[in-house]
Amino acid sequence: MKKFLKPAFLLFYLLMPVSFFFVGLLFAKLIDAGKGQMLAAGAIVLGYGVLFAGLAFVTSFIIVRYTKHRYVVIANIVLSVLLVSFLLYFRIQYKNRNSPKPAEHEMKAPKPTAPAEKGNLLVWSAIPKKKHLQNPENDMGLGFFTPNFYDNPLLYFFGNVNPEKSVMEHAPTDSIVFKRRGQGGFDIAQAPPWLVPEHMKLDYDMLYFEIAALGREFAEVVVNTQTRRTALVNKYGGKIIFWPAFLLQVHSVEFPPDSNEKVRARPFEQASEVNLPYSFLKPVSIKNEWMQVELWNDDFRPIGKGWIRWQRNGKLLIDYSLLS
């Protein structure tokens, strides 16, 4: 019994599980144990570390029983060096992961874009309300992508991509160049001639592209609402706003002139109609295909509440005003 309690052996009991905990983490990384597991990935990798540590702790007693003292001392030296190496390795990995990523302008430069035409920019800026004419088929897509031009002065567009590769491994085909105004805010310095975004009002920091499809690293966005031309963007270069969140931040909504939809007392078709006269509908909450709204008068004061159906089978049933 005294043999098991010698200082060298006690240190060995400690170094074995700690060192093999890191071995387990590296093994999990090597076999991609957490790949595609989303939130469970961290727990899976940690589980490998704990498993290896537990096995090493049990094994350390077996080794001590059948091994001479001097060999355990040598093993302690080796394990100490190994442990320091692991700590340095994971420290470097942590710093690399949390350091700023290479700037997007370090990617292969795309072909030069044309200077932004002020006439087009003024037309885009004057569209505060969604109109069904923007999309003749009224296919609403998934929501909107808005670039983070405060942190990224360039928004790159990509053509065909390999989903197995990262964004940094692809060469962009075109881009938008943003420039900061002297009085604050941003303008577009250069843009492709075909660019017609869904909404653009840069004096309010608004630039929205409709999202047609969404992938792990890329978002397919509509870059020309007239021709329905699409391009891919790095979805982490901006913000993804799905329809419910987007509609809850607009100023007001309304039915198109040819709509047969009604404001109802409850969120289903058979509910009674709300017959209060109103001027505006203010979104309050969204539940599936139904939106709860406040009814406002001309003085922008609420006079009641109701429910409207805002989409049906992927088709948008309402217009909305972003600002007023």
Side-chain angles (χ1 to χ4, degrees):
M1 185 65 183
K2 291 182 179 180
K3 176 181 179 180
F4 289 95
L5 299 178
K6 290 182 178 180
F9 295 158
L10 293 175
L11 180 61
F12 185 68
Y13 302 147
L14 176 64
L15 290 174
M16 277 286 284
V18 174
S19 298
F20 276 85
F21 173 79
F22 290 107
V23 172
L25 297 183
L26 288 176
F27 178 76
K29 180 179 180 181
L30 182 65
I31 65 173
D32 290 328
K35 186 175 182 179
Q37 301 301 317
M38 302 180 70
L39 294 178
I44 292 173
V45 173
L46 183 63
Y48 273 89
V50 173
L51 176 63
F52 274 60
L55 293 174
F57 183 67
V58 174
T59 304
S60 65
F61 287 92
I62 300 174
I63 293 174
V64 165
R65 181 173 182 177
Y66 297 102
T67 305
K68 293 181 179 180
H69 181 272
R70 66 174 181 272
Y71 294 125
V72 173
V73 172
I74 295 173
N76 284 341
I77 296 173
V78 173
L79 289 173
S80 298
V81 173
L82 191 63
L83 182 58
V84 171
S85 301
F86 284 142
L87 291 174
L88 289 174
Y89 171 78
F90 283 104
R91 173 63 178 171
I92 293 172
Q93 290 291 309
Y94 177 80
K95 290 182 67 176
N96 289 341
R97 187 173 65 250
N98 289 277
S99 61
K101 294 183 179 180
E104 285 191 315
H105 61 263
E106 293 178 2
M107 292 189 289
K108 183 178 178 181
K111 60 184 180 182
T113 55
E117 297 182 15
K118 291 297 181 182
N120 284 346
L121 295 184
L122 290 174
V123 171
W124 301 339
S125 299
I127 306 177
K129 183 180 291 185
K130 167 80 176 186
K131 291 296 185 183
H132 292 160
L133 294 177
Q134 294 271 76
N135 184 352
E137 298 179 357
N138 199 18
D139 183 2
M140 57 189 290
L142 299 176
F144 294 94
F145 171 82
T146 177
N148 181 6
F149 36 77
Y150 277 89
D151 293 334
N152 303 311
L154 292 168
L155 174 65
Y156 285 114
F157 296 114
F158 300 86
N160 295 326
V161 299
N162 183 347
E164 299 297 325
K165 295 183 178 181
S166 68
V167 174
M168 299 300 296
E169 295 179 273
H170 292 86
T173 57
D174 224 317
S175 65
I176 300 176
V177 180
F178 299 99
K179 66 176 181 180
R180 188 180 291 272
R181 298 195 199 102
Q183 68 275 23
F186 285 83
D187 271 328
I188 289 181
Q190 290 183 317
W194 38 258
L195 186 70
V196 183
E198 188 74 22
H199 296 295
M200 176 172 161
K201 199 165 181 63
L202 288 178
D203 49 338
Y204 286 87
D205 289 344
M206 290 184 179
L207 178 57
Y208 292 105
F209 295 91
E210 178 190 330
I211 300 175
L214 198 60
R216 288 183 179 273
E217 294 195 48
F218 292 96
E220 183 183 0
V221 299
V222 178
V223 293
N224 188 306
T225 57
Q226 298 172 355
T227 64
R228 306 302 296 169
R229 176 173 179 166
T230 64
L232 295 170
V233 296
N234 176 8
K235 73 176 187 180
Y236 298 110
K239 185 178 181 181
I240 302 294
I241 309 175
F242 294 108
W243 270 108
F246 176 80
L247 290 174
L248 290 174
Q249 69 184 23
V250 303
H251 175 269
S252 60
V253 298
E254 61 182 305
F255 295 121
D258 58 349
S259 174
N260 295 320
E261 299 295 326
K262 304 293 183 182
V263 180
R264 301 191 178 275
R266 300 181 67 183
F268 53 88
E269 297 285 0
Q270 292 74 29
S272 60
E273 295 181 18
V274 176
N275 294 316
L276 290 173
Y278 64 89
S279 299
F280 306 96
L281 297 173
K282 175 69 174 178
V284 175
S285 65
I286 291 179
K287 182 178 181 180
N288 298 325
E289 295 187 338
W290 290 86
M291 174 190 292
Q292 187 180 32
V293 294
E294 283 185 344
L295 284 65
W296 286 4
N297 59 20
D298 289 333
D299 297 324
F300 298 99
R301 293 183 178 179
I303 56 175
K305 287 186 178 181
W307 290 84
I308 63 173
R309 191 157 192 167
W310 66 277
Q311 64 114 337
R312 180 183 286 111
N313 299 325
K315 305 297 181 182
L316 192 64
L317 302 178
I318 58 174
D319 290 340
Y320 55 82
S321 296
L322 288 172
L323 301 175
S324 62

